[in-house]
Amino acid sequence: MSFSKDKDFFEMWRFEECPALVRAVGCGDITLFNQEQSKTLWSMFVSSNAKHLMRMDMNIFSKIEHYDVDFDKKESADELFCNFNKLSGYPQSVFLFFSEKYLCVTPYITLQKYWNYYFLPSDETTIIITPQNSHFLFSYEERFFIVTR
């Protein structure tokens, strides 16, 4: 595995506004992958042919649930993250792609606590995948989707 240095990880700006996330990266709780490794794992876990979530074939998923959240009210996502945690078997960590080029592994509890730094309403390629590669979480504007493969 090849890991990225903070300065080489373009999406690091998302974490810089939250001191707790910067500390988590610094102490190794959040692992940043380099672009080549990220692309390889995107092809394996997400899609070998779709570089954008809006181009993915949703027919590969057996179950789709959606939740509307308000980015200004952090607690509006409590039900979403509790349900994802339960459905996906309470993962300790998850893979989080900001796009095919930027992947990090983050503790689930950190993701749940600081979700509004990881996700933005304008995101179109941010996706969370469980280690078993069976549950995905992604968003479009203020609607989040939990899908099962």
Side-chain angles (χ1 to χ4, degrees):
M1 292 289 174
S2 300
F3 302 107
S4 180
K5 302 285 185 222
D6 300 358
K7 63 181 173 37
D8 299 329
F9 194 78
F10 177 76
E11 297 292 334
M12 188 64 191
W13 62 268
R14 294 175 188 253
F15 301 151
E16 290 171 347
E17 293 184 22
C18 180
L21 291 177
V22 172
R23 279 191 302 277
V25 170
C27 72
D29 289 342
I30 296 174
T31 305
L32 310 175
F33 287 76
N34 73 21
Q35 288 187 19
E36 288 303 312
Q37 193 68 41
S38 296
K39 286 180 183 179
T40 300
L41 293 170
W42 174 281
S43 291
M44 289 171 50
F45 294 150
V46 181
S47 174
S48 58
N49 56 6
K51 305 299 181 204
H52 194 284
L53 292 177
M54 300 303 145
R55 294 189 180 98
M56 276 182 56
D57 179 9
M58 290 298 166
N59 291 323
I60 65 170
F61 300 115
S62 62
K63 183 177 182 182
I64 299 176
E65 296 182 24
H66 65 82
Y67 298 81
D68 293 323
V69 302
D70 182 343
F71 279 81
D72 295 326
K73 296 179 181 171
K74 193 172 176 248
E75 66 279 356
S76 70
D78 289 351
E79 180 183 3
L80 163 71
F81 285 100
C82 285
N83 285 345
F84 184 76
N85 196 23
K86 186 165 74 172
L87 286 169
S88 59
Y90 304 98
Q92 294 294 309
S93 295
V94 291
F95 294 96
L96 190 150
F97 287 93
F98 293 106
S99 71
E100 69 166 328
K101 295 180 186 177
Y102 301 103
L103 164 66
C104 70
V105 173
T106 187
Y108 189 81
I109 192 79
T110 304
L111 169 72
Q112 187 171 2
K113 188 171 184 178
Y114 301 107
W115 70 270
N116 54 337
Y117 290 95
Y118 288 97
F119 285 94
L120 300 173
S122 60
D123 287 340
E124 292 183 350
T125 56
T126 301
I127 185 167
I128 294 169
I129 302 171
T130 59
Q132 296 81 14
N133 195 24
S134 58
H135 291 82
F136 293 27
L137 175 69
F138 56 91
S139 67
Y140 179 72
E141 295 176 352
E142 292 195 344
R143 177 163 282 180
F144 280 73
F145 299 89
I146 298 174
V147 296
T148 306
R149 185 178 293 202

